Amino acid sequence: RAKAEGGGTFRCFEPEMDAWVQARRRRENELREALAREQFSLVYQPLMSAQADRILAFEALLRWHHPEHGPVSPAEFVPLAEETGLIVPIGAWVMQTAFAEAAAWPEAIRLAVNLSPVQFRNRSLVETVRDALAASGLDPRRLELEITESVLLADSAANLATLHALRAMGIRIAMDDFGTGYSSLSYLRSFPFDKIKLDRSFVSQVGENTHCTAIVRAVASLGTSLGIATTAEGVETAEQLAMLRAEGYDEVQGFLFSRPVPAPAARQLIARAVDGFFGGRAA
Ligand code: C2E
Ligand code: MG
Ligand code: MG
Ligand code: MG
C-alpha cells in the first residue's frame, strides 16, 4: 500500500508494511489449510426467467468460514487464492461439490460456476472439468461456466483453445460482469459466448441514471442482434425488474428473488417454485 503512494514515502511505512506482510502470510497459511479443514462451503443463488416465474439455473458461490473471523467474502480471499495458485485446488473442489449437488436437481435446472483466469493458466482445467462431470453424472449441457474478460486478456490464444474445448463438450460459456472491463465488446468478437451477464453496477442505477439506462438497453439489443442470451445480475427492486423485462433480458438474478442460500435451501426453492412461489411474488 505504501508503494502506491510513491517510492519516496516507502520507508516511513516500514513497520506498518511489516505488520501487513505478516498478516498476509498468516492469511495465506490459513487459506492453504482451509480445504483440508473443510472450512469452505457453497451457496446457490437462482437465475430466474425474465417473467420471474421459473428458476432456470443456480449460480454456485464460494464461502470461507474462518475459525475466528467467521464468514470471509470471496471478494477478499479469491484474489489471495489466485496469487498463491490455491484457486486451482479450491476451484476443483468447487466443481466437484457443485456438480454433485446439481446432478440431483430436476433436469431442467442448470448450474453456473465461476472460473478464475488463474484456473485457465493451469493446463489441466479441461481434464478437471471432465473428471468432475464424470464423477457426478452431471450432463455437461446443464453446465455454464462464468468467466470475466480477464480470461481473454491474459494468454488469450491458449485460453481461447481451452474455451473452445469446454464448449465442444456441450458446456455454455457466459461472460460475467459485462461492461466493467476495458473492452468487453471486443471480446464478444473473439469468442462465441452463449450468455452475457450485465454487471450489477448498471442494474443498480437503471431508471435513475440516464447513462446506465442507455447501457442496459444497448446490451439487451446487442444480445438480441448477436443471438446471445442476456442476464442481469444484482436485481433488487421490482422497478428494476420491470425495466429489465421491458428491455428484453432473458434472465434475472438478485436479492429481489433470493440471496445465495445453502444447498438444502436451494432444493426447497426448487420445490416451492413449482407451486408458483416466485410467480406470486414478482407479480
Ligand atoms: P459474481 O460472479 O459476479 O457474483 C455475483 C455477486 O453478487 C455475489 O457475491 C452475489 O452474492 C452478489 N449478489 C447477487 N445478487 C445481488 C444483489 O441483488 N445485490 C447485491 N448487492 N449483491 C448481489 P459473492 O458471493 O460475494 O461473490 C463475489 C465474487 O467472488 C463473484 O462475483 C465471483 O467473481 C467470485 N466468486 C464467488 N465464488 C467463486 C468461485 O467458486 N470461484 C471463483 N473463481 N470465483 C468466485
Ligand atoms: Mg458469476
Ligand atoms: Mg457477476
Ligand atoms: Mg458482478
Side-chain angles (χ1 to χ4, degrees):
R1 285 175 302 168
K3 237 185 199 164
E5 289 165 36
T9 56
F10 188 86
R11 255 203 277 157
C12 308
F13 287 94
E14 232 169 40
E16 194 196 302
M17 274 295 285
D18 200 47
W20 184 80
V21 166
Q22 273 177 24
R24 206 196 111 103
R25 208 166 286 157
R26 202 178 319 121
R27 185 52 69 92
E28 194 182 314
N29 286 332
E30 289 167 345
L31 193 58
R32 215 173 280 284
E33 313 222 299
L35 252 188
R37 296 189 174 168
E38 300 182 18
Q39 290 166 357
F40 289 116
S41 66
L42 291 177
V43 285
Y44 298 87
Q45 187 180 29
L47 283 93
M48 310 296 298
S49 64
Q51 294 311 311
D53 57 355
R54 264 184 319 138
I55 295 176
L56 301 176
F58 281 94
E59 178 177 6
L61 294 159
L62 185 58
R63 295 290 178 266
W64 178 18
H65 300 270
H66 190 281
E68 290 151 46
H69 308 304
V72 185
S73 162
E76 210 179 308
F77 70 83
V78 166
L80 183 58
E82 289 177 332
E83 285 168 44
T84 53
L86 287 167
I87 194 67
V88 172
I90 295 171
W93 177 87
V94 167
M95 287 193 269
Q96 287 152 13
T97 308
F99 292 5
E101 177 60 29
W105 297 338
E107 285 208 349
I109 298 182
R110 290 176 275 115
L111 170 75
V113 170
N114 294 283
L115 284 187
S116 148
V118 177
Q119 288 173 273
F120 278 79
R121 234 178 277 157
N122 195 285
R123 288 288 142 255
S124 61
L125 177 61
V126 174
E127 218 179 295
T128 305
V129 175
R130 192 177 284 130
D131 289 351
L133 283 170
S136 63
L138 182 71
D139 184 339
R141 287 168 300 185
R142 289 176 60 201
L143 178 62
E144 265 171 28
L145 295 175
E146 298 191 359
I147 64 163
T148 55
E149 67 166 45
S150 53
V151 167
L152 293 171
L153 261 170
D155 205 2
S156 60
N159 289 355
L160 264 180
T162 302
L163 284 177
H164 280 289
L166 292 168
R167 204 156 183 268
M169 290 163 63
I171 298 166
R172 290 180 223 212
I173 309 293
M175 190 188 270
D176 206 351
D177 301 339
F178 188 80
T180 54
Y182 290 107
S183 41
S184 301
L185 280 179
S186 80
Y187 292 108
L188 288 184
R189 191 179 51 183
S190 55
F191 185 78
F193 285 92
D194 299 284
K195 182 191 278 192
I196 298 170
K197 280 188 95 172
L198 177 71
D199 191 66
R200 189 174 82 208
S201 56
F202 300 105
V203 174
S204 67
Q205 293 194 65
V206 68
E208 287 168 26
N209 176 311
T210 51
H211 286 84
C212 282
T213 307
I215 290 167
V216 165
R217 181 167 298 159
V219 171
S221 82
L222 190 67
T224 306
S225 316
L226 295 174
I228 302 176
T230 46
T231 301
E233 66 173 22
V235 182
E236 294 184 350
T237 70
E239 290 73 27
Q240 290 165 357
L241 173 64
M243 297 211 54
L244 294 163
R245 193 186 285 174
E247 295 301 340
Y249 278 81
D250 300 299
E251 292 180 358
V252 285
Q253 182 185 31
F255 292 171
L256 177 64
F257 316 104
S258 173
R259 287 184 179 258
V261 295
R267 273 175 252 144
Q268 273 178 14
L269 283 181
I270 294 172
R272 271 153 82 194
V274 173
D275 302 331
F277 172 78
F278 285 114
R281 174 145 152 200

